[in-house]
Structures are given as structure tokens and as C-alpha cells.
Amino acid sequence: MMLQFIVDVLSLGSMYALFALGLVLVYGILKLVNFAYGELILVIGYSIFLLKGSPFPWFFMSFIAIIMCIFTSIATDYVAFRPVREKSVTAVLITSFAFATLLQNAALLLISAKPKNVPMPSFLSDSVQFLGVITPVRNLISIFVAVVCLFIFFQFMKRSLLGLAMRASATNFNMARMLGIPANLVITTAFALSGLLAGIAGTLWMSKISMVFPGIGLEPLLIAFIATVIGGMRSIQGAVLGGFILAFIDMSFNYLLPQDILKFRDAFTFSFVILILLIRPEGLIRGPATGART
Amino acid sequence: MKLTCNNITVDFSGLRALNKVSLSVETKEILGLIGPNGSGKTTLLNVLGGQLKSNEGSVKKDNLDITTMPPRLRVKNGLARSFQIVRTFESLSVFDNVKSASLTTSKSNVEKNNYCNEIISYIGLNKIKNELANTLNYGDRRRLEIARAMATSPDFLLLDEPAAGMNDNESEILLNTLNVIPKKFNVGILIIDHDMSLIMKLCHRLHVLESGETIAEGSIDSVKKHPDVIKAYLGKDF
């Protein structure tokens, strides 16, 4: 029972953590929330859906979908952020919302308002049993994928020159610029990585729900947002931690709440999040003190 | 090499902060920029570093006109600076702080690491190389800023009050460090500071500003005796 709970938390948490990491990566550098972030899930879903008839194997389809996700993320920068970045914070909030709405409506117009089935390989839903835990294969894959991704990501940030440039920019963007670090390269990399993480997390998400509809982006955006708020908006470690904590809270209520109030789970989760924020308004992990947008 | 500015004039909405100021620094030379508070020293440094645009005048590095060049390109062209208020990357280690500044140099990664290590040990931060910048004391953070500026492989180093807030001992160490930089790294230094004993021991030449105007320039002795400088800044007892 205990082990079952741990596996459930870890598998959900891995997905949340990857989502949150992608969001906080852009926020860390630009100090702006990308509200079109949730729409990357929409891109993943519809990309796989549109490739359904193709002769490619599923892995190749999801690979293309993730590439599409990276492109959309970079496009978000060029369409919604770059033209107004220097001018006004409010403008960027609106343009990123507008870009999100644009993508949703494109899906609505060109595809359908109805949920569409996204093909997933059947083995993902097969159950495995070990040490008394019964869980679908996809949960174990989620944990594995997240561990690998987080490991590579943190090594990249720690060891590579681009990673260093990104960490420096996240601490003090203007100073980094003054030292000659190319701002546009850093920002584009942040959006690309953000798209990659959202793409991977989105594929895991798809394997769980197997369908896509125009409004699909809202829930993952909310999850990523809350996870980063819990963990601390300024810290990439915080985002990961926040993802796992949110999953822990979600799962705990799943286990504890009686069946007839389970549908109000989100209300309980959010109340708990409010409680955390009342105690630690800055989130659990505090980032650099110079995190304000300048 | 020579960094020159000519007839720099800066107006802050009607207030003339600098009025036709010209000066030049050569590599291997240390020029001290002194003057009372509000005399325009930092403003001039901001014009040289590209943080501020002058209303009139030009900035040149040898024959290259850099008057309109943004700060990041000036850095690439060999102009590095430290700030009056320390701006280290708080959540990065001392080494990463220094290395982040070397990213745009044309060195290979191994060369960058070696060069950064050399600077770090030279500035005397070797023992705390892996500490995070926000855990350092004030004097160390000031020195980290200098190390970071040095990591850009500059030809000219602009230092804005590097000794501010340092005790005598720390300022003595700083003096010894700065003393050797010009020859060892082939760098010209322009330094602003109110610590006159540091300035007098360190600088080869002085440039004195008051209310945005040059009131004296030249060798330390000539400036020390200059009646206007005594009146405006140093006082009779110096």
C-alpha cells in the first residue's frame, strides 16, 4: 500500500516536475510567465493525432510532435515576447494570452471542438506487478524518463557554457548582457528547452488521457504554475520539488478523500497550496535575491 | 592602446552633469578619477562603459569610434568595468561568476578555465572559489567583481569605487593586487575612489572633476598642489 502510493506520487510528480521546469526556465530568465505554455500540450496532442494515418512508428510520431513543440515554443518567443519584451510587462502578458488563444482557435477551426483520440501504443497501458504494486507500464516509464531528463538537464545547466550563460542570465539578466553574454541566444535556448520539456511531459500526459481537445492546455498550465509557485518561482530546483509536492498533495487526497467528495479534490489541493503560500510566500526554495524584473 | 573620450557632455533633464570633459588612458597605466560627490565621476564611467549615452562628445578606443556602441560590444572590444553597487551573480559560485564573463572571449573551454583560475588565484579568491557569491563578505564580493571584469580579457578596466566599504587591511591588499594588473595583464585602469591614500599610492596620473568640469589633470604631485583641487576636494591638510 505504501509502496503503491510512492509509485503513484513519483509517476505523477515526474510529469508535473518536467512541466514546471519548462515554465520556470523561461520565467527565470525573462521574469515573465509564458501563458501560452499550456498550448504546447495542445501541439503535442494534435501533432500525434494528425500523424495517426502515417506509416511511421509511434515513437517517430511522438518525436516529430516534440520537435513541433520546440518550434512552437520558439515561435512564442518571436511572436509574443520579442516584439514587446523591452516595452511593457503588461503587453507581454496579453500577447502570450493572445498567442495561446490563437492556437486554441486554430485547433477549433481547422480540426474540431470535439475531443480527438490520440493513438498510444497499447503496451503503455499494460499493468505490471512487482513487490505487491500494480501499476501501468506508462507510470514506470514516466519516472524513468523524468529521472533521465532531469539528470541531463541539470548536468547541462551545470557543466555546459550555455548552461552557465543561462544561470548567469537568470540571476541578473542586465548584468549578463553587460558582460557580453548574447541575450537572444540565451532566450531562444530557454524557449527551446522549455518546449522540449513540455513536449516530453506532454507525451507522458497524452499516454495517460489519450485524447486532445482545444482547451486541453489549461490544466497543465495551471499545474505547472502552481508547482512553480509552491517550489519558488526563481529556482529551477524549486520547480522540480514543487512538481513532486503537488503530486504528493493530489495523490494524498486521492487516497484519503471518500468517493463522493473526490470530485472536489482540486478545491482541497488549492486550499492546501494557499496554506503553503501563507507560510512561505516566496515558495519553498528561495532563488537569487535579484530576481525582480528590472 | 589608448582609450580616449573627447568633450563629453551629459545633461540630466536640464542639469549639466558633465561639461566638455576629455581624458585618455593608455594600457599599462593607472589613471585616478577623483572629485567630490556629485562631480560626475560615475557618470563619466557610465559614458565610457556604454551604460549612458552622452549628449555630446565621442569615445574612442585607438581609432575605433565606440560612442554609440552598446555595452556588450564594448566588452567584446576590451572594455570591462565594475560597479559602485556590487552586481555579482548571487546564486552562482565564485568560479562560475568569473567564468560567465569569459564566455564571449575567443578562448577554448580549457583555456577559459585556466585563465579564470589564474585570475581567481591572482585576485586571491582561490580558497573560496566554490562558494556561492551571496555568501561572501563585502570585500570579497568587490574583488570578485574585479576578477569577473578581468575575465573578459579587457584592455581597459574601469573600476567604480572598488575600495568602498573596505577596511584598511583589505584596501591594502586591493592596492597590491591592482598595482600589478596593468603590467601583468597589459591593461589600462581607470579608477574612481574616495580612499585618497589608495589613490595616491596606486595611480600614475590623476584627473579631477568638480561639478562636471575638469579642474585639474596630470601627475600626482601637480594635482596635489593645485589650488582648485585643494579648495574643492582635498583640503589644506592633505
Side-chain angles (χ1 to χ4, degrees):
Chain A
M1 177 70 181
M2 195 58 209
L3 198 60
Q4 177 82 48
F5 177 73
I6 293 172
V7 170
D8 285 345
V9 168
L10 286 182
S11 64
L12 190 67
S14 339
M15 207 160 60
Y16 287 3
L18 291 178
F19 265 137
L21 193 55
L23 186 71
V24 89
L25 205 55
V26 169
Y27 180 83
I29 287 171
L30 291 177
K31 311 288 173 242
L32 288 167
V33 176
N34 175 11
F35 283 106
Y37 183 68
E39 266 44 64
L40 296 175
I41 310 304
L42 176 145
V43 171
I44 276 283
Y46 281 113
S47 299
I48 301 180
F49 165 74
L50 291 172
L51 287 165
K52 192 155 66 170
S54 69
F56 303 122
W58 179 84
F59 278 103
F60 188 73
M61 292 196 283
S62 60
F63 176 74
I64 295 188
I66 290 174
I67 302 278
M68 289 297 292
C69 217
I70 295 173
F71 272 115
T72 312
S73 186
I74 295 174
T76 313
D77 178 30
Y78 277 89
V79 175
F81 283 73
R82 199 159 291 201
V84 284
R85 200 171 68 206
E86 311 273 303
K87 295 184 182 103
S88 136
V89 185
T90 333
V92 180
L93 289 184
I94 293 167
T95 48
S96 73
F97 264 123
F99 190 65
T101 316
L102 186 82
L103 288 176
Q104 285 171 23
N105 282 293
L108 207 59
L109 267 172
L110 303 173
I111 300 169
S112 165
K114 288 188 196 131
K116 290 289 180 189
N117 182 37
V118 175
M120 282 292 146
S122 58
F123 77 88
L124 287 177
S125 312
D126 291 347
S127 288
V128 283
Q129 188 175 5
F130 64 96
L131 303 170
V133 178
I134 305 167
T135 189
V137 177
R138 63 162 181 267
N139 281 1
L140 299 180
I141 291 180
S142 293
I143 298 174
F144 176 74
V145 168
V147 169
V148 172
C149 287
L150 291 176
F151 178 78
I152 296 174
F153 176 78
F154 282 107
Q155 287 300 315
F156 166 80
M157 290 303 273
K158 200 174 160 197
R159 306 212 182 276
S160 76
L161 293 181
L162 202 51
L164 175 60
M166 291 182 63
R167 280 184 294 141
S169 307
T171 321
N172 191 336
F173 190 61
N174 285 335
M175 190 61 224
R177 272 190 109 159
M178 272 186 229
L179 286 173
I181 292 172
N184 285 339
L185 176 68
V186 166
I187 293 170
T188 306
T189 311
F191 272 98
L193 277 177
S194 164
L196 176 66
L197 289 166
I200 294 167
T203 313
L204 298 174
W205 186 270
M206 281 300 142
S207 76
K208 216 174 160 182
I209 62 172
S210 296
M211 60 167 181
V212 60
F213 50 93
I216 195 171
L218 184 64
E219 196 187 341
L221 175 70
L222 209 57
I223 287 168
F225 195 66
I226 292 168
T228 51
V229 168
I230 298 176
M233 288 295 275
R234 294 170 188 166
S235 153
I236 49 178
Q237 288 88 346
V240 175
L241 181 70
F244 282 104
I245 290 176
L246 185 59
F248 176 81
I249 299 171
D250 264 0
M251 268 303 152
S252 304
F253 286 128
N254 261 3
Y255 275 64
L256 294 174
L257 293 178
Q259 201 63 42
D260 46 339
I261 44 174
L262 195 56
K263 59 182 174 233
F264 302 116
R265 188 196 68 185
D266 285 351
F268 286 90
T269 304
F270 289 148
S271 314
F272 199 78
V273 170
I274 291 172
L275 204 65
I276 292 181
L277 290 179
L278 282 174
I279 301 166
R280 299 268 313 200
E282 286 204 316
L284 295 172
I285 295 185
R286 272 173 211 171
T290 45
R293 191 179 146 83
T294 42
Chain B
M1 262 177 281
K2 197 175 189 180
L3 177 69
T4 333
C5 65
N6 266 317
N7 289 323
I8 297 292
T9 297
V10 174
D11 289 320
F12 288 134
S13 51
L15 178 83
R16 183 144 290 195
L18 286 175
N19 191 13
K20 296 202 164 77
V21 175
S22 305
L23 61 75
S24 66
V25 203
E26 290 187 40
T27 39
K28 297 188 184 169
E29 183 192 35
I30 304 180
L31 174 68
L33 184 58
I34 59 172
N37 285 328
S39 59
K41 305 183 295 293
T42 298
T43 307
L44 184 60
L45 218 65
N46 284 340
V47 170
L48 290 171
Q51 283 77 29
L52 184 72
K53 290 222 155 43
S54 61
N55 298 70
E56 281 168 45
S58 64
V59 184
K60 273 184 182 171
K61 192 196 160 202
D62 283 341
N63 290 321
L64 180 69
D65 191 324
I66 57 172
T67 313
T68 54
M69 198 182 260
R72 67 194 167 84
L73 293 181
R74 293 192 198 209
V75 172
K76 274 192 169 174
N77 278 294
L79 245 73
R81 71 168 293 184
S82 76
F83 290 88
Q84 202 171 350
I85 300 159
V86 283
R87 298 188 189 179
T88 49
F89 296 123
E90 304 288 319
S91 59
L92 267 58
S93 70
V94 166
F95 181 81
D96 281 349
N97 259 282
V98 175
K99 182 142 186 219
S100 67
S102 75
L103 290 179
T104 48
T105 57
S106 54
K107 297 182 171 72
S108 76
N109 195 21
V110 179
E111 283 171 340
K112 278 176 189 158
N113 286 337
N114 291 340
Y115 183 65
C116 292
N117 278 320
E118 188 192 341
I119 290 169
I120 288 171
S121 50
Y122 182 70
I123 307 269
L125 296 168
N126 216 4
K127 277 187 191 150
I128 47 168
K129 192 168 109 168
N130 296 318
E131 311 268 319
L132 294 184
N134 56 8
T135 64
L136 304 189
N137 66 42
Y138 191 69
D140 285 340
R141 286 166 75 170
R142 284 239 163 250
R143 289 194 292 171
L144 174 55
E145 273 229 324
I146 299 171
R148 193 176 60 179
M150 283 302 296
T152 60
S153 303
D155 301 313
F156 295 97
L157 193 55
L158 314 174
L159 301 175
D160 197 348
E161 300 202 20
M166 282 188 175
N167 59 35
D168 289 351
N169 187 27
E170 286 173 322
S171 129
E172 184 74 25
I173 298 171
L174 182 74
L175 170 72
N176 295 331
T177 312
L178 292 179
N179 228 334
V180 197
I181 285 183
K183 291 212 172 62
K184 188 173 163 69
F185 294 94
N186 196 20
V187 168
I189 297 182
L190 175 62
I191 180 171
I192 298 179
D193 215 290
H194 286 295
D195 182 343
M196 278 307 120
S197 80
L198 173 84
I199 289 285
M200 299 298 176
K201 281 181 208 154
L202 182 67
C203 297
H204 306 147
R205 277 197 303 130
L206 291 177
H207 190 110
V208 192
L209 291 178
E210 201 220 354
S211 312
E213 304 203 17
T214 303
I215 56 168
E217 57 181 316
S219 71
I220 297 207
D221 285 336
S222 72
V223 166
K224 255 187 189 172
K225 288 175 194 142
H226 199 289
D228 288 348
V229 179
I230 292 171
K231 192 177 158 210
Y233 188 51
L234 293 178
K236 280 198 185 96
D237 298 332
F238 202 83

